[in-house]
Amino acid sequence: MTPDDKDQTDPSADDDAEESADAMGEELADLVTGPVEPTPPARRFERIATKLAKISTWSLEQYRRSAENFSTFLADRQPGLWLIALAVGLAIGTAAVVFRIGIGWVQWLWVGETSEYVIDHIRGLPRWVVFFAPVAGGLVVGLLNQFVLSGRRAGAVADVIEVSAQGGRGLGLANGLWSALATVISLGAGASAGREGPVVHLGATLATTMTRAFSYPAPAARIILACGVASAISASFNAPIAGVLFAHEVVLRHYAVSAFVPIVIASVAGTLAGRVLFIGDMAAFQIPAYAIGSYWEMPAFALLGLTAAVVAISFQFALIVFDQTARSIMMPAWSRPVVGGAVMGLFGLTLPQVLGVGYEATDIALHGGFGLWMMITLLVAKIIATSVALAFRFGGGIFSPALYLGAMTGGSFGMIAAAQAPDLASDHGLYAILGMGSVAAALLGAPISTTVMVFELTGGYALSIALLLSVSIATGLHLAIHGRSYFYHQLETRGVVLAEGPHRFFLKTVTVTSFMSPLEEEASLTDRGDPRTVREFDTLETVLRVFNETGADALAVISSRDPELVVGTVTHVQALRAYNRRLVETSVEEHR
């Protein structure tokens, strides 16, 4: 082809060549990355619309869920519950301050001093005053027990735990106030007991009164009850975190998130009321800045946990033995605290350090102010004095005595450890703090809240690793011997078993009347011709046992007044359904 022929060639040939080259390039690209097609505008809009539709659907679903959650929040009356928690906290924080001031007023009648630091004042009093003051106080308390208080005793923490297990109701306001008065007189007169347990009972009484006023269901009623307990603990000890944990650990016996907010509100409110009205923003015990001397002391801290367990076990045995002994002695209810007062008077003449709540002696032990043999003597004396006071029906609790015994135990142990390894052992005041937490945690069955309580009482957060070790060992060994805390032991003497879990509690407390089918017309047993019967107030445990033994599908329910009168029927399915329903309700409450 000549050049002229090239010039005369069709111009579109070049374009065809370029298109062929582009096609070959696209084929090579397809081999590597796949075909690339330009997205038409309509396709782009379609994809955008699809994504927007998905986002819209997701947003609507989230809105629906949020609306449902908020509707449930309102249906459960949570805003009102929070406001009640605030009112409960402020009221009970104030009541705790009044309770504490009342103890000081009663004490002033014979000591001439309202402060808790009165050991030197008591030593300067005439001996007859020291002896007869607890006796006179015991007489007043005995008259209250005899003629006013139900059960012929002042209330305590075990009563609150029982009420919580039964639905958060059952504490009468009048009886609760009279119980608080009996305890104020007891402690003001020198009875060796704690004030925190009775304040917990008072707080729970006021809380249940509010529950009745607003008609909340059982789960919410238990939360309000726990709010009262938390505010009482926080106001008494100036320990808001411990109040929250104690309410969950001991009273509710679970850590439900739904209960956390109102309980915290009540605890903070109770703390503020106590600080503003009485105690200020200071820890209950002002101690030096102790620190662990060496990590080689960890075996010593573990051994302290073992020693604290022995003390806690011994104290609980003493409480049980003295209580059973006092019950076996036949005497009028009014005379029991009088006898206990005489014993308190004898202790006052020889060891005034064991009288009353005992915070002064505990504080001295934390500062290392007692010698070894004095602390051992006070340890034994406090166990006996507190056991006698509670066995003979003085009002009071075991919080403060447990802290007292722990401080004496730890202080004694620290002195012995320092004598054996003076270059390694920390100050025995540090051991007193560790012992205080260990004995109290083991006896109360509340290791978490008690550990935090000791931190807040002393400000000794730097001791956490040592305290956790000794508390865990003491609690574990105490559980190995007694199997339960002292509170649970008290409940089991009343037939209320909680230590084995809710399933055992329901078996022993749910009665036939709550799930049977009543008859429209009562009939005689002979007319039915069915000898397989249960009584209307038999427990679920009894009913299930009868079903198992007889193989029956249904049982006749007879009247508790007339064994020949049939008042209803109950089927095996009804009994199992009632049992399962309560277990499910408990599980839901514990996990919401």
Side-chain angles (χ1 to χ4, degrees), residues 413-481:
F413 184 94
M415 286 188 175
I416 296 173
Q420 300 301 316
D423 296 332
L424 293 178
S426 301
D427 193 289
H428 59 271
L430 179 145
Y431 282 90
I433 296 174
L434 303 181
M436 186 167 65
S438 301
V439 173
L443 192 67
L444 303 178
I448 299 174
S449 54
T450 304
T451 299
V452 176
M453 186 182 300
V454 171
F455 289 155
E456 293 186 287
L457 283 174
T458 63
Y461 290 93
L463 314 178
S464 58
I465 185 172
L467 182 60
L468 288 172
L469 177 62
S470 59
V471 162
S472 62
I473 292 175
T475 303
L477 293 176
H478 179 274
L479 184 64
I481 300 300

Side-chain angles (χ1 to χ4, degrees), residues 245-267:
L245 295 177
F246 184 85
H248 281 91
E249 189 174 19
V250 176
V251 178
L252 288 182
R253 292 170 289 120
H254 62 73
Y255 285 90
V257 177
S258 61
F260 184 77
V261 174
I263 290 176
V264 168
I265 292 173
S267 183

